[in-house]
Amino acid sequence: MFSITPPLLGRDHLFIILHKTPKFFSTCTRQNYQSSSFAVRSSSSLKEIEKPIDRELSSNLYASGPFPAIIAAKRVVLVRHGQSTWNEEGRIQGSSDFSVLTQKGESQAETSRQMLIDDAFDVCFSSPLTRSKRTAEIIWGTRKEQIITESDLREIDLYSFQGLLKHEGKAKFGAAYRQWQIDAANFNIDGHYPVRELWDRARSCWNKILTHECRSVLVVAHNAVNQALVATAIGLGTEYFRILLQSNCGVSVLDFTPQLEGGSPYICLNRLNQTPNPPVAGSSAGRKTSQRIILVCHGSLQTDSEASIPCTGDRPMNMLGVIQSQKTAELLLDLKLSTIVSSPKMASIETANAILRVQEAADCLGADCVPRYVEIKQMQNLGVENILQQSKKDSTVPYIQSTWLNGYEDGAMKAIWDLSGQAWKSLLEELSSVSEAENIVVAVGHPVVHIGLIGHCLNLKKEWMGSFHLDAGSISVIDFPDGPAGKGVIRCINYTAHLGRWSIPITRSALDDEEF
């Protein structure tokens, strides 16, 4: 049986300062991060579990509410509609049908159409609301199959809130509007709990989508309902509302893989909120944020192949990896980074240095009027390659399948989970150690350690690690609108659009090289 003990590193050994002036590092345990845990609620029922919890969610949530069994792999691509007239006005839409796409919204939909133009979807499900139907029509283009409208895909029902400008809702409803902002899961209006009803509808949608005779599905709907679809698919409850961001025309991908023994399929979030515009700009769920962690996966390694265990060992990047790291550095040029924290492995250091060089040349590149000085560090807990290399892996689960992490034995997953937990605490401390108005920390490492970091951000257990997938060269962005002690809002996961022709296609087959 594989077993490994994480290195016992003191707080002052977690980082090796490589560049610029070292910053004071707090040694406090920051218990406030642990106390901001989510409350447990069932993802498949309107019934609440009224009891306090610790840092980790109950494993019962993960196993609750099985989905229909499938006989072949299925990929579902979710797209939110383009900007609408009421989006532009700041008006609460809900499930009303009085807004239409703006010119910008039509352009966003066209960009999404170009992004998905070569993908052979079997079917398209759309919300019946005009703004969503029009987006679906643009993306669907000249495909012959008829778009299926599904009432349960309509936006969240907000009853008396609908049609109000946000300041009008605040003035008219006071405490109720405040609860909608800070505790949406328990928000009640006109005798209804909108978010709980939405989660119930999302489960109903999945039953219809998974039982449809198709393998590649396009779903065009709305912000809240797409959040609910993602959350219910991977077993998250209503407390995750507004945690998994869905921007206008943002694309999210979920892979469903049948289990050999039948029953509910394996479900993996392949990517979240890949947007027509770069994910590093704009607000977080309508709230301004100046605190952010960006997770950068290093580029492809020499001798990497789809059939092998990806990115293991301590090897330099190949030419594709060098291009990927440079593309990532260019994407981050418009941001003034505070700190770059890297795994001690060669590929991560190479990627971190590429980002640093571009940041320091910001004035020459026209992105800033003065040179930027960015601190770069190494964090031992971001290095998990040796664990993966030593672990026995089920060879029947190829890397190109989103659920490939499920092939690793439990001892390896626990070791990675523990290391990533230590790394997550250190990154939060790093984020809170800078007193500047804007603080952006970039962490560079292996895709698997970043999956662990995302899991810890969402307050999950190690069993959830197989529910996420990251590609080499991708970025994931986590915002903290309430500061590092508050909940992290996931702006995107596995974003690769910045890689251009070297990116992984959004609807690439989830199993072997078989075309959908």
Side-chain angles (χ1 to χ4, degrees), residues 60-99:
N60 293 330
L61 177 61
Y62 186 78
S64 68
F67 286 95
I70 57 176
I71 60 174
K74 187 185 293 278
R75 173 160 285 187
V76 180
V77 177
L78 307 177
V79 183
R80 182 189 173 188
H81 64 77
Q83 185 196 60
S84 71
T85 50
W86 280 20
N87 286 151
E88 189 176 40
E89 294 172 16
R91 197 174 292 278
I92 301 170
Q93 296 185 110
S95 57
S96 65
D97 198 16
F98 299 105
S99 64

Side-chain angles (χ1 to χ4, degrees), residues 27 63 84 115 119 134 154 200 204 243 245 270 283 286 304 324 360 367 399 420 424 438 442 444 489:
T27 59
S84 71
M115 191 184 299
D119 297 291
R134 177 57 184 153
R154 71 187 184 278
D200 195 44
S204 173
I243 298 297
L245 206 64
N270 182 276
S283 62
D304 264 358
Q324 290 169 333
E360 291 186 326
Y399 170 56
S420 62
W424 180 246
E438 185 177 45
V442 170
V444 185
V489 175

Side-chain angles (χ1 to χ4, degrees), residues 10-80:
R11 184 72 61 181
D12 56 338
H13 293 109
L14 285 175
F15 289 102
I16 302 172
I17 307 297
L18 298 175
H19 191 75
K20 308 302 177 192
T21 305
K23 298 177 182 176
F24 173 75
F25 220 84
S26 172
T27 59
C28 66
T29 59
R30 300 197 67 81
Q31 295 294 327
N32 52 338
Y33 296 140
Q34 298 186 12
S35 63
S36 59
S37 57
F38 299 106
V40 177
R41 292 178 179 86
S42 169
S43 64
S44 60
S45 171
L46 300 183
K47 184 178 180 180
E48 302 281 338
I49 301 176
E50 300 294 352
K51 62 179 181 179
I53 62 167
D54 56 15
R55 281 189 75 225
E56 296 182 331
L57 292 173
S58 166
S59 59
N60 293 330
L61 177 61
Y62 186 78
S64 68
F67 286 95
I70 57 176
I71 60 174
K74 187 185 293 278
R75 173 160 285 187
V76 180
V77 177
L78 307 177
V79 183
R80 182 189 173 188

Side-chain angles (χ1 to χ4, degrees), residues 146-288:
Q146 187 174 2
I147 296 172
I148 301 172
T149 56
E150 171 53 56
S151 176
D152 281 342
L153 286 173
R154 71 187 184 278
E155 184 56 301
I156 185 172
D157 298 316
L158 289 176
Y159 304 99
S160 294
F161 271 14
Q162 293 180 174
L164 298 177
L165 293 169
K166 292 177 182 178
H167 73 270
E168 293 173 340
K170 183 177 180 180
K172 185 174 180 179
F173 288 94
Y177 186 82
R178 175 65 175 164
Q179 186 179 36
W180 164 241
Q181 293 296 311
I182 65 174
D183 186 23
N186 294 309
F187 165 64
N188 181 297
I189 186 169
D190 298 338
H192 295 271
Y193 289 89
V195 176
R196 301 183 200 179
E197 293 175 352
L198 181 67
W199 250 243
D200 195 44
R201 270 205 277 129
R203 288 295 308 219
S204 173
C205 285
W206 281 127
N207 289 334
K208 295 170 185 175
I209 292 169
L210 292 177
T211 55
H212 191 279
E213 294 182 354
C214 58
R215 296 195 61 194
S216 183
V217 185
L218 175 65
V219 176
V220 183
H222 307 266
N223 177 13
V225 72
N226 281 9
Q227 288 185 54
L229 288 168
V230 171
T232 54
I234 59 176
L236 305 181
T238 53
E239 68 278 9
Y240 286 89
F241 183 65
R242 296 201 185 101
I243 298 297
L244 305 170
L245 206 64
Q246 295 288 302
S247 304
N248 286 123
C249 277
V251 175
S252 300
V253 180
L254 287 144
D255 288 327
F256 297 80
T257 307
Q259 297 198 55
L260 294 177
E261 64 275 17
S264 188
Y266 294 114
I267 304 171
C268 181
L269 180 60
N270 182 276
R271 70 188 65 224
L272 177 79
N273 202 34
Q274 179 143 305
T275 52
N277 298 317
V280 294
S283 62
S284 186
R287 303 174 62 197
K288 293 183 179 179

